[in-house]
Amino acid sequence: ILNRKGLVQDINAVEPASGKNALHCLLDPPNPHPGNVITNTNRITDIAAALLAEGIDFDAKDKRGRTPIMYAAINMYLGAMTE
């Protein structure tokens, strides 16, 4: 996982202001655009699979009480979270 300062060692590190981990951020981009969903679904699925394989907490809740799976549903990345 990379941030502005470099590599983050904790796969479950969260962004302090929002409480989102990397999986939240992947599935809740700043300005999702419906045209990008189909184009990026395979890439998003691959990144999500890699994060899950590394042990990211897929059930973590951000400060709004939402899990990454909730963001996948909200933003229609249905292919990104298949298991």
Side-chain angles (χ1 to χ4, degrees), residues 8-68:
V8 175
Q9 298 298 320
D10 181 8
I11 192 74
N12 288 303
V14 297
E15 197 280 317
S18 67
K20 293 179 180 179
N21 67 19
L23 194 55
H24 283 100
C25 295
L26 175 68
L27 299 171
D28 186 34
N31 294 305
H33 184 278
N36 292 336
V37 173
I38 294 171
T39 305
N40 294 325
T41 299
N42 289 340
R43 187 175 11 206
I44 291 167
T45 301
D46 291 344
I47 295 169
L51 290 171
L52 291 166
E54 290 296 320
I56 197 160
D57 184 0
F58 62 86
D59 202 30
K61 293 184 179 171
D62 64 9
K63 290 189 176 180
R64 296 172 72 185
R66 293 182 176 173
T67 66

